[in-house]
Each structure stands twice: as C-alpha cells, then as structure tokens.
Amino acid sequence: MKKLFIIGNWKSYKTAAETNDWFQQISNFQFQIANLQDKEIILCVPFTVLSTAKSLIQQYELPIRLGAQDISPFDEGKYTGEINGKQIKEFAEYVIIGHSERRRYFSETDELLAKKVAMAKQYGIVPLFCVEGSDVPVPSGVDIVIYEPITAIGTGNPDTPDDAEKVCKAILEKDHNSFSLYGGSVTSENVRSFTSMPSISGVLPGGGR
Ligand code: PGA
C-alpha cells in the first residue's frame, strides 16, 4: 500500500486557548488505527503553540505528529527573533520550508531555503519542501516535496488531479525524491481525487480555522 501523508498547515492561526479547544474536540474523534497504517498525520502549528500541542497529543494519545512552519537558517546564536533547529527538535519532527507565502511575503530565496533545509537535516528534522512547479530547485537531502500551485493556495480553486499528477511525477523523476504531495484548496470532498493518483503521496491542506 502507498504511504500517505496528511499534513495540516495551521499558518498564522490559533492561540494557546484555541489550540486547547481544538484538541479537545479532536480527542473525541475515533481514529481507527487499522485505517492509519501507512498514513502519517502531521500538524504544522505556529511556534507559540508547539509546546501546548505536544502536551495535548500526549495527553489524548493521538496518532498525530508535529511540525513547525519555519526554521532559522542559522544555528543557535545571536539571531534575535529566530527559532533554530535545536529548539524546534524539542517539539517537532517536521518543518515546512519554502511555502509560497514565505517566498512571497518574506522574500525567501532558493539560497536561503537551501540553508534552512541543511539546518533541519542537521537536527534530524524532516523538511516538507514546497514548490510552485517542477522547475523550482529542490535542495539536496529533501525526501518530501509538496507541489502547491500559487493559484490554488487559499483560493478554493484547486489544480486538477491530472495536472497535479503530471507535476508530482515530474518532481519525482527530476530529483529522485521519495514522495511528492499536492497542496492548494484540498478539501474533504476532493482529497481522494488527489491521493488516488499514482505519483501523489498525500496532501497539505491549510487554513487553520
Ligand atoms: P489551502 O492552503 O489549503 O488553504 O489552499 C494550502 C497551503 O497553503 O499549504
């Protein structure tokens, strides 16, 4: 069976109190363990709620893994405001790198993103590397690449499963990554149309609300 990654991106949403409420609701949901074989459920939350989310996952014994949404390109040191790999590793196993919102609003370049990937790898954190197409450079050492066409992110206008399949296939062929995923206006209604495609190993829905 194909391994599937379901990765929630909370973006810049949720306070600690809202995180508590969310986990309380989710704790009533019956995760069917048999259905979770070969599935990895990952939640990428803001830095400010990583600690709370980790405690709540343990408390409710949920089959959810944690990810951060960014990582400093520097190791620990005099970098005011930065959160480094050593700090993230205490709470999270994954980190989103290269999301189009960071490329666009924070001018993150391919060079900077390669440094972030190197830092994640140094601390054993798995990079979830986002690209807007198969021609975008993917730093070496990245196993999970997520194709997120800019026109589909947060617009309610997803790519077609056929097109997403073509791009994900090209990504796998070009960089020999282990997995390629799709993100952009994924919903509970359309998720299967993407995950049933042979080259698509999961999805990254966002929103956080
Ligand atoms: P969306 O966001 O599901 O709201 O389109 C996806 C993302 O930004 O990763």
Side-chain angles (χ1 to χ4, degrees), residues 108-129:
E108 297 200 349
T109 61
D110 294 337
E111 194 190 4
L112 179 76
L113 297 174
K115 286 185 186 156
K116 292 188 174 199
V117 166
M119 268 301 147
K121 301 281 293 180
Q122 183 176 318
Y123 284 99
I125 302 165
V126 178
L128 304 168
F129 196 81

Side-chain angles (χ1 to χ4, degrees), residues 9 11 99 101 130 148 152-156 183-186 204-207:
N9 177 8
K11 307 198 180 194
H99 193 281
E101 286 156 9
C130 300
E148 294 211 305
I153 296 177
T155 59
S185 299
V186 173
L204 175 63

Side-chain angles (χ1 to χ4, degrees), residues 5 7-9 42-47 50 65-73 83-89 91-99 102 108 113-130 141-146 181 204:
F5 294 83
I7 308 173
N9 177 8
I42 304 166
L43 206 53
C44 296
V45 303
F47 290 131
L50 270 175
R65 294 170 182 276
L66 269 185
Q69 298 173 15
D70 190 22
I71 183 170
S72 175
I83 310 289
N84 66 61
K86 190 178 173 187
Q87 294 168 319
I88 292 169
K89 184 66 184 171
F91 304 104
E93 296 168 74
Y94 294 89
V95 61
I96 296 176
I97 298 177
H99 193 281
R102 295 215 59 89
E108 297 200 349
L113 297 174
K115 286 185 186 156
K116 292 188 174 199
V117 166
M119 268 301 147
K121 301 281 293 180
Q122 183 176 318
Y123 284 99
I125 302 165
V126 178
L128 304 168
F129 196 81
C130 300
V142 168
D143 294 326
I144 303 175
V145 179
I146 307 164
L181 281 55
L204 175 63

Side-chain angles (χ1 to χ4, degrees), residues 112-208:
L112 179 76
L113 297 174
K115 286 185 186 156
K116 292 188 174 199
V117 166
M119 268 301 147
K121 301 281 293 180
Q122 183 176 318
Y123 284 99
I125 302 165
V126 178
L128 304 168
F129 196 81
C130 300
V131 298
E132 288 151 31
S134 56
D135 52 343
V136 175
V138 174
S140 66
V142 168
D143 294 326
I144 303 175
V145 179
I146 307 164
Y147 164 53
E148 294 211 305
I150 204 144
T151 52
I153 296 177
T155 59
N157 185 23
D159 201 351
T160 63
D162 282 339
D163 194 57
E165 163 64 20
K166 265 185 221 147
V167 178
C168 285
K169 189 163 186 260
I171 288 168
L172 292 176
E173 281 167 0
K174 184 173 145 240
D175 290 309
H176 305 291
N177 310 103
S178 309
F179 304 101
S180 67
L181 281 55
Y182 169 75
S185 299
V186 173
T187 63
S188 53
E189 283 79 43
N190 67 21
V191 61
R192 274 179 202 280
S193 66
F194 292 104
T195 55
S196 59
M197 289 290 166
S199 306
I200 301 180
S201 296
V203 287
L204 175 63

